[in-house]
Amino acid sequence: MCRGFGIVCEAHKKVLEPCRGATKEFIKMKVENPFNELYLKHFDIVEGRTIYLSRHGESEYNLEDRIGGDSNLTARGQQYAKALGLYMNSSGIADLKVWTSNLVRTQQTAAYVSAPKEAYAEIDEINAGQFDGYTYEEVEAMYPQEFEARAQDKLCYRYPKGESYIDCCKRILPILEKMERSTEHLLIVAHQAILRCIVTYLLQGDLRKLPTTKIPQHCLIRVTWLNGENIIDYIRTPIDHSEQGIVKSVLEDSAVLPPKGASSEKIGDSQTKS
Ligand code: G3H
């Protein structure tokens, strides 16, 4: 069966480019990097500037593997919130500001950090539109074409009545600019999809790898500006969590789809579960 660009067509084993019958939506288009406009601004960043990034702690929706929503943290999520507060409060960071999304789970996660907080809808999680509140399994069972379309092009796939990763990149541009111009130390508590966008921007990463970039839960990411580039490191906590969302993207560099029925976890970049 013809699948689209870069994918082996079962009927024409050697065809590695769009073949007749390839479903149009599955053809990966060359995408302009939405961050280019910011890269061109060449911000004057102070040596040693540090930005801390964190996903919210485990939420009730994470436990059920549900997309979106506005659920509370679980007990383990609360534990992470306390650990985050303890770490940030004892780090002696002067002039720390905390930015959260408008959603309950990020605000609960930041609750124990003693610093001024601001909430921004721009860093709310990707809008899953019609599928908000569904599990990935439900989407796969009830809307297999949508599920497959996302697996084929997770970067550009837009949820019905919702957003794509590219939409998210564009949505956060004002926040990224504010972040670059900020003279305060920042802790940004947000969501997996949004942090994938922020990390990719900060590291000038490959846009195609953005939707599968690993952003572990219950782990603080520190990004430090040194010698003209951002250096990333992770401060991990031992607090357990149930990762949310199985990523079933087709491997970017591969021309082969996983065998039918085989789990497509581990394909994509390094990410298996979100
Ligand atoms: O929808 C919420 C997730 O954090 C994003 O996961 O884009 O890998 O499905 P996903």
Side-chain angles (χ1 to χ4, degrees):
M1 177 168 55
C2 300
R3 292 286 191 151
F5 186 80
I7 306 297
V8 168
C9 166
E10 287 300 311
H12 314 91
K13 287 281 183 208
K14 289 180 187 149
V15 177
L16 293 177
E17 44 180 42
C19 48
R20 271 182 299 159
T23 308
K24 206 174 160 203
E25 301 77 40
F26 289 171
I27 297 175
K28 288 178 186 162
M29 309 301 283
K30 189 166 165 29
V31 182
E32 197 190 328
N33 190 326
F35 302 135
N36 281 345
E37 66 176 80
L38 290 186
Y39 293 145
L40 290 172
K41 292 195 178 181
H42 301 294
F43 298 106
D44 190 14
I45 302 168
V46 176
E47 183 75 357
R49 178 202 65 178
T50 306
I51 294 167
Y52 291 88
L53 304 169
S54 176
R55 282 175 70 183
H56 57 82
E58 181 189 68
S59 70
E60 288 162 356
Y61 259 35
N62 287 157
L63 271 189
E64 296 171 16
D65 204 21
R66 292 195 182 279
I67 308 166
D70 193 13
S71 63
N72 290 306
L73 296 186
T74 63
R76 294 189 299 202
Q78 283 289 350
Q79 258 189 305
Y80 173 71
K82 288 174 190 168
L84 180 65
L86 194 61
Y87 179 85
M88 297 305 295
N89 297 342
S90 60
S91 295
I93 305 164
D95 300 325
L96 179 70
K97 269 260 174 75
V98 182
W99 295 354
T100 67
S101 73
N102 258 347
L103 299 169
V104 162
R105 56 196 185 274
T106 61
Q107 296 180 15
Q108 289 178 343
T109 302
Y112 298 93
V113 181
S114 308
K117 299 181 185 92
E118 289 164 11
Y120 295 99
E122 289 95 326
I123 52 172
D124 283 359
E125 183 56 299
I126 187 169
N127 179 355
Q130 189 184 328
F131 299 141
D132 188 84
Y134 282 59
T135 65
Y136 290 91
E137 283 69 23
E138 286 168 349
V139 176
E140 184 173 20
M142 296 159 77
Y143 301 93
Q145 284 179 328
E146 293 292 334
F147 189 85
E148 180 67 4
R150 188 167 200 250
Q152 293 285 344
D153 192 353
K154 201 175 169 195
L155 180 67
C156 296
Y157 171 84
R158 179 178 284 140
Y159 280 114
K161 302 192 180 139
E163 292 178 304
S164 67
Y165 268 91
I166 291 290
D167 293 333
C168 290
C169 293
K170 292 180 180 165
R171 156 156 64 92
I172 65 168
L173 287 175
I175 284 290
L176 292 176
E177 179 152 4
K178 192 174 161 67
M179 176 185 83
E180 294 289 40
R181 295 190 188 284
S182 171
T183 52
E184 287 143 336
H185 294 288
L186 291 178
L187 165 65
I188 301 177
V189 184
H191 306 264
Q192 174 165 245
I194 295 305
L195 290 171
R196 284 172 170 158
C197 300
I198 296 176
V199 165
T200 300
Y201 163 76
L202 284 169
L203 301 185
Q204 302 204 6
D206 179 345
L207 210 56
R208 279 284 167 198
K209 291 184 176 164
L210 184 156
T212 51
T213 296
K214 190 141 183 81
I215 309 286
Q217 206 163 28
H218 296 177
C219 172
L220 183 62
I221 298 174
R222 180 170 52 195
V223 184
T224 311
W225 181 256
L226 288 174
N227 298 319
E229 62 174 333
N230 282 309
I231 308 294
I232 188 167
D233 66 325
Y234 293 80
I235 299 143
R236 295 178 186 274
T237 68
I239 301 159
D240 205 7
H241 55 84
S242 72
E243 289 278 14
Q244 182 234 3
I246 297 168
V247 175
K248 296 192 176 178
S249 310
V250 171
L251 180 61
E252 199 62 39
D253 303 325
S254 169
V256 187
L257 281 169
K260 216 170 165 51
S263 164
S264 44
E265 289 181 27
K266 284 226 159 98
I267 58 176
D269 196 18
S270 56
Q271 178 76 352
T272 54
K273 291 183 166 194
S274 62

